Amino acid sequence: MSHRLQGQDWLTASATRAVMAALTAAGGADCARFVGGCVRNALIGAPIDDIDIATTLTPDAVVAALRVARLRSVPTGIEHGTVTAISEHQPFEITTLRRDVSTDGRRATVAFTTDWAEDAGRRDFRLNALYADADGVILDPTGQGYDDALAGRIVFVGEAEGRIREDYLRILRFYRFYAWYGRGAPDVAAVAACAALAEGVTQLSAERVSKELLKLLAAPDPRPAVRLMAEAGVLGRVLPPTDLALFEAMTEISPDPVLRLSALLPADPAKAAEVARRLRLSNAQRFRLVEAVAAEATTTQTAPEGRAVIYRDGRQAFEDRVMRAWAAGGESEDAHRLLVLAKDWSQPTLPVGGRDLARLGLKPGPETGRVLKAFEAGWIADDFPDHGHEERLRALLPPA
């Protein structure tokens, strides 16, 4: 029995039709099929982020076909068989069917093929080895991908350990896909293979690891997957040892993957900085992780205390620390009060400067910095008053 994708606007959109028409004009009716995430997500009713197309055409033939159809092509990964078509300003990733020639656990040497079963056989999970033709008719070379997608089963194509040895990133992808699409108990063979080969994740590049980890943590509820990672010894090869309790609680109160990552780290800025360096996170992500754990916070702070932290350390750091305190057992009402404070308070700038001191007779020099620093400390401690600045400065001036 054949199945067909229903009610998919992207499938019938003119931009999509133009790309498929260009390919079929060059290679025939069965030379191009939609593949992977767009088919899987359309089948289960999840959002479609990208439209990927598999084709029997070689990359050069794809480029030529797009040129004839007056569509722009971008050689985004042409050495691996991938060309991106631009149709009505929308990208479509087109990849020639492939088979693995050799693998080393990090990368594969591939050869192009025209065999759809070979292409399906090198994919990671059966629910990702689904194809659909231009009319939305689903093709399932493994014979089980369709049922897996509907049932929420994340099962490797073929033998699990063999798939993982080809690319150890598939360990992290298993947990990521289980977090996003898995339902019920995880596949026993997959869990065992990931545990047995957990050391392989240490061979992966930092960028690949951090990308998968943050995608996993962005899932609506990544807790079951993270627990599996910890039990298999995978989490401990990616992050320092930590108690999962804070992470479990944080997942319930925030969908932010960076904040959830901070909850998987100990309250140690040096360790947070080391994790960020090792994972090669962006400067903004690194700064945020370090600041989130840099100081212990409570949800019982007063408004003046909260404003002082926001002024000194920034709004994001304050909010992240409040969220950590909330996850650690703080009262939700108090946390909400402080988060509203952070959102609504307009942070003032220091109301005095060197010119004000010069006007009061203080000559420029080191003393200027000392007086301004002392003024600022008192101004913060008194909750940023908007008056009496000259009197405060006079009181701080050295004796004449």
Side-chain angles (χ1 to χ4, degrees):
M1 176 182 175
S2 64
H3 302 279
R4 184 187 298 269
L5 299 178
Q6 302 290 341
Q8 299 296 314
D9 292 341
W10 62 270
L11 189 66
T12 57
S14 59
T16 307
R17 289 295 192 188
V19 174
M20 293 298 277
L23 297 175
T24 55
D30 193 37
C31 82
R33 298 173 182 174
F34 303 106
V35 66
C38 61
V39 181
R40 177 198 67 231
N41 284 17
L43 180 60
I44 65 177
I48 309 297
D49 296 322
D50 304 301
I51 301 175
D52 294 337
I53 298 170
T55 182
T56 57
L57 297 173
T58 64
D60 288 345
V62 170
V63 172
L66 295 174
R67 185 185 304 116
V68 169
R70 297 185 178 181
L71 296 173
R72 187 161 70 93
S73 63
V74 181
T76 44
I78 202 161
E79 68 278 7
H80 298 111
T82 301
V83 175
T84 297
I86 308 298
S87 178
E88 298 180 23
H89 309 290
Q90 182 179 351
F92 296 80
E93 193 169 276
I94 305 168
T95 302
T96 302
L97 303 191
R98 297 175 293 183
R99 60 180 175 85
D100 289 335
V101 175
S102 64
T103 61
D104 63 4
R106 298 179 67 183
R107 61 185 67 84
T109 300
V110 300
F112 301 141
T113 180
T114 57
D115 188 328
W116 290 97
E118 273 193 318
D119 186 73
R122 71 175 299 277
R123 295 183 180 273
D124 49 11
F125 310 114
R126 297 186 315 209
L127 83 172
N128 288 340
L130 290 171
Y131 303 81
D133 68 16
D135 295 322
V137 175
I138 298 173
L139 300 111
D140 184 5
T142 71
Q144 295 163 301
Y146 179 87
D147 290 336
D148 283 354
L150 293 181
R153 291 191 296 261
I154 315 302
V155 182
F156 282 97
V157 173
E159 194 263 327
E161 285 202 14
R163 288 278 82 78
I164 290 173
R165 291 184 189 281
E166 292 168 354
D167 184 354
Y168 289 113
L169 189 69
R170 287 173 174 165
I171 293 176
L172 298 181
R173 284 176 63 83
F174 169 74
Y175 296 114
R176 195 245 292 185
F177 276 84
Y178 184 68
W180 277 96
Y181 305 110
R183 297 197 304 278
D187 179 64
V188 173
V191 170
C194 289
L197 301 175
E199 186 64 26
V201 300
T202 62
Q203 300 181 29
L204 300 171
S205 71
E207 292 85 355
R208 297 181 85 198
V209 171
S210 60
K211 183 178 180 181
E212 285 297 323
L213 184 60
L214 289 172
K215 284 183 177 181
L216 187 162
L217 294 177
D221 185 2
R223 288 174 296 181
V226 171
R227 288 186 210 116
L228 282 177
M229 290 178 71
E231 292 165 3
V234 174
L235 189 64
R237 288 174 168 82
V238 176
L239 298 175
T242 187
D243 182 356
L244 291 182
L246 185 65
F247 168 74
E248 297 265 350
M250 183 67 79
T251 297
E252 294 186 355
I253 64 177
S254 174
D256 187 324
V258 176
L259 189 55
R260 288 175 172 180
L261 176 58
S262 83
L264 284 168
L265 303 179
D268 183 334
K271 287 186 178 178
E274 170 58 21
V275 168
R277 184 200 64 76
R278 186 154 40 84
L279 292 178
R280 296 191 182 177
L281 299 180
S282 69
N283 288 337
Q285 290 168 332
R286 177 193 60 78
F287 181 80
R288 189 174 172 198
L289 284 182
V290 171
E291 286 298 309
V293 303
E296 289 296 329
T298 69
T299 56
T300 59
Q301 296 174 82
T302 65
E305 288 170 339
R307 285 189 281 266
V309 175
I310 295 170
Y311 181 84
R312 288 194 176 103
D313 298 337
R315 196 179 310 273
Q316 185 70 71
F318 175 76
E319 291 176 342
D320 287 350
R321 291 173 194 170
V322 168
M323 296 291 274
R324 280 177 63 93
W326 181 8
E331 293 292 334
S332 61
E333 185 176 337
D334 289 332
H336 281 296
R337 170 180 58 83
L338 292 172
L339 294 172
V340 169
L341 166 70
K343 178 177 179 292
D344 292 346
W345 184 53
S346 296
Q347 182 176 326
T349 56
L350 189 67
V352 298
R355 289 184 179 180
D356 298 290
L357 289 173
R359 183 170 49 79
L360 295 176
L362 183 65
K363 294 181 180 180
E367 195 66 20
T368 297
R370 183 197 68 78
V371 172
L372 288 176
K373 191 172 182 179
F375 174 93
E376 183 179 43
W379 179 63
I380 294 170
D382 289 340
D383 199 21
F384 310 96
D386 59 2
H387 60 278
H389 304 322
E390 184 169 324
E391 291 82 354
R392 287 171 176 270
L393 284 179
R394 287 185 184 280
L396 294 168
L397 292 175

